Amino acid sequence: MTEAAKGRGARSNASGRFEPETVEAFDDGWTGDDARVAPLRTTLTPEHARTIIARNTSPDVGFDRSINPYKGCEHGCIYCYARPSHAFMGLSPGLDFESRLFFKPGAARLLEQELSRPRYICKRIHIGGNTDPYQPVERVLGSTRSILEVMQRFHHPFSVITKSVLIARDADIMGPMGRAGLASACVSITTLDRGLARAMEPRAATPAKRLEAIRRLADAGCPVSVGFAPVIPGLNDHELEAVLEAASKAGATAAFYVALRLPLEIKDLFREWLADARPDRAARVMSLIRQTRGGRDYDPDWSQRMKGTGPVADLIAVRFKAAIKRYCLDRPRVPLDETQFRVPADMKKQMDLFDLPSPISGEGGSRSETEGGLPDAA
């Protein structure tokens, strides 16, 4: 690993796929005997968004709306499916994704406005569907915390997924809301091997800390599931049963898994990491991955992209089904309660200000634009 990439997941910072020019690193002759390169620093940039709730129509995703407090993720997980999104901002899905982060100032205010619209229909909101809402910068910014406080005020159902023990900080919100049927959490654990976790997810919490997060949330009364994701055949698949058993003992009541996906730039980033971090098994791992993807590095077909196909994928599915039954992680999931949602009285008063009589017509604002609330954002 180069000095500049110390503590990071990606081994390079190649230009994104939308850039007209390609930039690649090269060996300029400097060695470890020369002056050290300054470590890669994390930068934070405000993103002045007009909305906070994102929608999706993917048929294999279990929610249609989500909130991502941050873009980019300092955890640096080499396999992260969100990496290619940095290319849309003219940045690299490699080291830029881990070090050039964006946050949304006033996220709580934006959420209050969207939830207060008269036309808003309550459905579960998933927090962290793209990047982790509890990555290290959350300790300073508290953006995710502010969003949960809004959810609590509005009695709005939500789910959260993370790799961080920092989620336990918010057990005072998630516990009561979980007991009321308004919140659930998922903690992702890909391995119990500290060495592999450090190499593959360099700035995420240790496996032991993630188990602690499950325990603390469960003790507070919030339903917790464990995500064995991604399953990487030849690298961590042998730990499937051990991870699920440990999570069950910690208090998890449900589980899921996702097979490794290598779309777009992730393919080259993962290959590069694998050759450096696990050179003894790199060829074998890639061979097994291709066996789950019809001979390719990745097959984006929605009907099978989460689990893969073929004998290797089928064996993983059989093992998973047996393990969740053995460790009591196959209990039926109870949908979160959407009937408790209500707009607080103080927010209704604030929204009324946007429907004052027009100085020209003497009537309320245009219903086609506001429907009694804020204009719809583009």
Side-chain angles (χ1 to χ4, degrees), residues 29-79:
W30 293 103
T31 70
D33 296 330
D34 298 302
R36 292 187 175 184
V37 177
L40 185 64
R41 301 297 184 186
T42 298
T43 63
L44 289 171
T45 302
E47 179 189 17
H48 298 286
R50 297 180 62 192
T51 60
I52 193 72
I53 302 175
R55 264 73 174 186
N56 83 81
T57 57
S58 298
D60 59 349
V61 175
F63 53 87
D64 69 350
R65 60 193 69 182
S66 62
I67 293 176
N68 293 289
Y70 305 103
K71 287 183 179 178
C73 185
E74 199 172 3
H75 283 165
C77 303
I78 189 58
Y79 52 72

XYZ file of all heavy atoms in Angstrom, residues 29-79:
395
model
N 9.765 7.124 -8.877
C 11.078 6.808 -8.340
C 11.279 7.080 -6.869
O 12.299 6.696 -6.289
N 10.312 7.758 -6.206
C 10.456 8.013 -4.777
C 10.315 6.709 -4.018
O 9.549 5.822 -4.387
C 9.390 8.993 -4.280
C 9.563 10.372 -4.835
C 8.845 10.947 -5.828
C 10.525 11.335 -4.433
N 9.297 12.215 -6.088
C 10.331 12.485 -5.222
C 11.536 11.361 -3.477
C 11.100 13.626 -5.090
C 12.302 12.510 -3.338
C 12.084 13.627 -4.146
N 11.053 6.548 -2.928
C 11.012 5.314 -2.141
C 10.758 5.645 -0.679
O 10.663 6.814 -0.286
C 12.344 4.547 -2.248
O 13.361 5.291 -1.547
C 12.740 4.368 -3.700
N 10.698 4.586 0.136
C 10.460 4.783 1.558
C 11.590 5.516 2.255
O 11.418 6.016 3.379
N 12.765 5.597 1.634
C 13.891 6.316 2.237
C 13.765 7.825 2.056
O 14.482 8.594 2.707
C 15.207 5.845 1.616
C 15.477 4.377 1.905
O 15.032 3.905 2.979
O 16.104 3.712 1.059
N 12.903 8.243 1.137
C 12.733 9.668 0.894
C 11.679 10.242 1.846
O 11.037 9.521 2.615
C 12.309 9.896 -0.559
C 13.372 9.420 -1.529
O 14.504 9.912 -1.449
O 13.058 8.528 -2.352
N 11.468 11.524 1.791
C 10.491 12.190 2.652
C 9.102 11.602 2.416
O 8.712 11.330 1.277
C 10.488 13.692 2.369
N 8.372 11.397 3.500
C 7.052 10.802 3.391
C 6.037 11.752 2.760
O 6.077 12.959 2.983
C 6.540 10.392 4.777
C 7.313 9.229 5.389
C 6.632 8.770 6.666
N 7.274 7.581 7.212
C 6.820 6.931 8.279
N 5.739 7.381 8.903
N 7.445 5.852 8.712
N 5.125 11.155 2.012
C 4.043 11.928 1.426
C 3.025 12.238 2.521
O 2.757 11.404 3.398
C 3.355 11.127 0.297
C 2.180 11.897 -0.282
C 4.378 10.810 -0.785
N 2.485 13.429 2.524
C 1.490 13.806 3.534
C 0.281 12.884 3.431
O -0.127 12.514 2.331
C 1.056 15.256 3.326
N -0.304 12.458 4.560
C -1.474 11.574 4.513
C -2.653 12.252 3.836
O -2.781 13.478 3.850
C -1.758 11.297 5.990
C -1.121 12.432 6.728
C 0.089 12.798 5.936
N -3.498 11.445 3.246
C -4.670 11.960 2.549
C -5.669 12.497 3.566
O -6.075 11.784 4.483
C -5.309 10.835 1.726
C -6.478 11.210 0.824
C -6.014 12.173 -0.259
C -7.074 9.960 0.197
N -6.059 13.732 3.427
C -6.962 14.369 4.379
C -8.401 14.294 3.884
O -8.656 14.299 2.676
C -6.585 15.839 4.585
C -5.163 16.054 5.094
C -4.953 15.448 6.471
N -3.620 15.739 6.999
C -3.148 15.231 8.133
N -3.896 14.426 8.853
N -1.913 15.539 8.526
N -9.326 14.253 4.826
C -10.748 14.264 4.492
C -11.242 15.700 4.442
O -10.958 16.496 5.337
C -11.556 13.480 5.548
O -11.120 12.126 5.550
C -13.038 13.537 5.241
N -11.968 16.043 3.388
C -12.552 17.379 3.267
C -14.078 17.274 3.276
O -14.645 16.287 2.800
C -12.105 18.074 1.973
O -12.587 17.341 0.844
C -10.588 18.177 1.903
N -14.723 18.282 3.826
C -16.180 18.340 3.897
C -16.675 19.545 3.112
O -16.174 20.656 3.292
C -16.647 18.462 5.344
C -16.480 17.225 6.230
C -16.772 17.581 7.682
C -17.409 16.124 5.767
N -17.651 19.322 2.249
C -18.211 20.397 1.435
C -19.726 20.420 1.607
O -20.376 19.379 1.477
C -17.880 20.182 -0.054
O -16.462 20.115 -0.224
C -18.444 21.318 -0.905
N -20.305 21.584 1.899
C -21.766 21.651 2.019
C -22.438 21.517 0.664
O -21.958 22.053 -0.337
C -22.005 23.036 2.633
C -20.804 23.837 2.241
C -19.659 22.876 2.196
N -23.512 20.779 0.617
C -24.326 20.641 -0.580
C -25.695 21.250 -0.274
O -26.434 20.742 0.567
C -24.485 19.174 -0.974
C -25.359 18.977 -2.210
C -25.685 17.514 -2.462
O -25.520 16.695 -1.557
O -26.127 17.210 -3.584
N -26.010 22.333 -0.944
C -27.241 23.059 -0.629
C -28.402 22.476 -1.433
O -28.819 23.005 -2.464
C -27.047 24.550 -0.901
C -25.974 25.152 -0.029
N -26.171 25.407 1.313
C -24.693 25.496 -0.301
C -25.052 25.910 1.834
N -24.149 25.977 0.875
N -28.923 21.375 -0.924
C -30.001 20.655 -1.594
C -31.342 21.339 -1.350
O -31.539 22.020 -0.343
C -30.057 19.224 -1.082
N -32.279 21.132 -2.265
C -33.631 21.662 -2.110
C -34.555 20.634 -1.480
O -35.615 20.994 -0.960
C -34.188 22.094 -3.467
C -33.408 23.225 -4.131
C -34.017 23.590 -5.473
N -35.382 24.063 -5.324
C -36.219 24.235 -6.344
N -35.819 23.930 -7.570
N -37.435 24.683 -6.140
N -34.189 19.375 -1.572
C -34.981 18.312 -0.966
C -34.049 17.350 -0.242
O -32.842 17.324 -0.516
C -35.789 17.527 -2.022
O -34.886 16.932 -2.965
C -36.761 18.444 -2.757
N -34.596 16.536 0.641
C -33.784 15.610 1.411
C -34.190 14.164 1.167
O -33.401 13.241 1.356
C -33.874 15.946 2.916
C -32.785 15.205 3.712
C -35.256 15.626 3.477
C -31.417 15.734 3.503
N -35.430 13.932 0.722
C -35.922 12.574 0.502
C -35.692 12.180 -0.952
O -36.141 12.875 -1.866
C -37.421 12.456 0.843
C -37.677 12.859 2.287
C -37.909 11.022 0.605
C -39.154 12.882 2.661
N -34.981 11.081 -1.153
C -34.735 10.561 -2.500
C -35.703 9.431 -2.786
O -36.057 8.657 -1.896
C -33.299 10.074 -2.624
N -36.150 9.318 -4.043
C -37.059 8.243 -4.443
C -36.340 7.281 -5.377
O -35.442 7.672 -6.113
C -38.284 8.805 -5.158
C -39.516 9.006 -4.285
C -39.406 10.178 -3.350
N -40.675 10.407 -2.637
C -40.893 11.419 -1.844
N -39.955 12.325 -1.648
N -42.068 11.552 -1.212
N -36.763 6.007 -5.350
C -36.240 5.041 -6.306
C -37.353 4.105 -6.738
O -38.337 3.910 -6.018
C -35.071 4.258 -5.708
C -35.520 3.096 -4.849
O -35.860 2.024 -5.358
N -35.548 3.306 -3.538
N -37.203 3.535 -7.913
C -38.207 2.618 -8.463
C -37.612 1.242 -8.752
O -38.209 0.452 -9.474
C -38.814 3.193 -9.764
O -37.757 3.434 -10.710
C -39.549 4.494 -9.497
N -36.432 0.947 -8.184
C -35.799 -0.348 -8.434
C -36.668 -1.469 -7.868
O -37.014 -1.450 -6.683
C -34.421 -0.395 -7.780
O -33.575 0.596 -8.334
N -37.020 -2.447 -8.675
C -37.915 -3.506 -8.207
C -37.308 -4.444 -7.180
O -38.022 -5.161 -6.492
C -38.267 -4.256 -9.496
C -37.114 -3.998 -10.422
C -36.652 -2.625 -10.098
N -35.981 -4.464 -7.047
C -35.350 -5.364 -6.089
C -34.840 -4.654 -4.841
O -34.065 -5.209 -4.065
C -34.203 -6.128 -6.754
C -33.128 -5.202 -7.322
O -33.374 -3.982 -7.378
O -32.056 -5.698 -7.707
N -35.287 -3.416 -4.639
C -34.949 -2.666 -3.433
C -36.205 -2.572 -2.575
O -37.279 -2.234 -3.080
C -34.419 -1.256 -3.788
C -34.181 -0.440 -2.522
C -33.132 -1.368 -4.593
N -36.081 -2.853 -1.312
C -37.256 -2.981 -0.459
C -37.845 -1.691 0.061
O -38.630 -1.709 1.017
N -37.505 -0.555 -0.515
C -38.075 0.731 -0.102
C -38.101 1.656 -1.305
O -37.313 1.492 -2.241
C -37.256 1.357 1.032
C -35.781 1.466 0.731
C -35.264 2.566 0.063
C -34.910 0.456 1.098
C -33.912 2.662 -0.237
C -33.548 0.534 0.800
C -33.049 1.640 0.144
N -39.008 2.615 -1.287
C -39.107 3.523 -2.433
C -38.634 4.935 -2.108
O -38.641 5.804 -2.969
C -40.542 3.563 -2.965
C -41.523 4.243 -2.020
O -41.150 4.525 -0.861
O -42.671 4.488 -2.439
N -38.213 5.158 -0.868
C -37.710 6.476 -0.493
C -36.628 6.328 0.570
O -36.667 5.407 1.395
C -38.836 7.369 0.012
C -39.576 6.847 1.230
C -40.857 7.607 1.492
N -41.855 7.334 0.454
C -43.057 7.907 0.414
N -43.397 8.792 1.324
N -43.905 7.606 -0.534
N -35.671 7.217 0.515
C -34.555 7.123 1.449
C -33.973 8.505 1.704
O -34.261 9.468 0.987
C -33.467 6.194 0.890
O -32.951 6.713 -0.330
N -33.155 8.577 2.738
C -32.419 9.800 3.066
C -30.957 9.433 3.224
O -30.613 8.485 3.933
C -32.929 10.443 4.375
C -34.360 10.959 4.191
C -32.015 11.594 4.803
C -34.958 11.525 5.455
N -30.101 10.176 2.544
C -28.657 9.975 2.652
C -28.031 11.276 3.143
O -27.840 12.209 2.349
C -28.069 9.567 1.301
C -28.545 8.188 0.874
O -28.147 7.187 1.443
N -29.422 8.150 -0.120
N -27.744 11.364 4.431
C -27.189 12.614 4.974
C -25.853 13.007 4.357
O -25.495 14.181 4.354
C -27.034 12.302 6.468
C -27.992 11.186 6.733
C -27.983 10.369 5.478
N -25.111 12.010 3.831
C -23.788 12.295 3.292
C -23.593 11.668 1.913
O -24.204 10.646 1.596
C -22.702 11.739 4.237
C -22.840 12.250 5.647
C -23.374 11.445 6.650
C -22.455 13.551 5.980
C -23.520 11.918 7.958
C -22.599 14.029 7.264
C -23.134 13.207 8.255
O -23.279 13.681 9.529
N -22.762 12.299 1.105
C -22.278 11.719 -0.142
C -20.788 11.443 0.033
O -20.057 12.276 0.547
C -22.482 12.676 -1.320
C -23.934 12.810 -1.768
C -24.051 13.710 -2.975
C -25.501 13.818 -3.447
N -25.632 14.741 -4.606
N -20.363 10.272 -0.441
C -19.028 9.805 -0.133
C -19.054 9.168 1.246
O -19.972 9.399 2.035
N -18.052 8.320 1.540
C -18.052 7.643 2.837
C -16.628 7.366 3.281
O -15.862 6.694 2.587
C -18.844 6.342 2.766
S -18.998 5.514 4.374
N -16.302 7.869 4.453
C -14.944 7.746 4.963
C -14.627 6.331 5.439
O -13.461 6.001 5.664
C -14.736 8.741 6.115
C -13.286 9.032 6.405
C -13.103 10.158 7.404
O -14.111 10.675 7.925
O -11.938 10.525 7.654
N -15.621 5.474 5.582
C -15.343 4.086 5.959
C -14.416 3.415 4.941
O -13.626 2.552 5.294
C -16.651 3.291 6.060
C -17.407 3.572 7.318
N -18.724 3.215 7.496
C -17.036 4.180 8.475
C -19.136 3.590 8.704
N -18.133 4.174 9.306
N -14.538 3.791 3.666
C -13.604 3.302 2.652
C -13.776 1.852 2.260
O -12.829 1.235 1.770
N -14.964 1.284 2.449
C -15.180 -0.123 2.068
C -14.908 -0.282 0.572
O -15.505 0.409 -0.254
C -16.604 -0.548 2.395
S -17.029 -0.321 4.133
N -14.007 -1.179 0.234
C -13.546 -1.285 -1.143
C -14.645 -1.741 -2.087
O -14.650 -1.410 -3.276
C -12.321 -2.234 -1.236
C -11.705 -2.180 -2.631
C -12.698 -3.653 -0.848
C -11.257 -0.792 -3.065
N -15.617 -2.483 -1.581
C -16.680 -3.052 -2.406
C -17.913 -2.162 -2.516
O -18.892 -2.556 -3.129
C -17.101 -4.405 -1.812
C -17.421 -4.304 -0.336
C -18.577 -3.671 0.117
C -16.538 -4.814 0.619
C -18.845 -3.546 1.455
C -16.811 -4.695 1.964
C -17.966 -4.056 2.381
O -18.228 -3.918 3.727
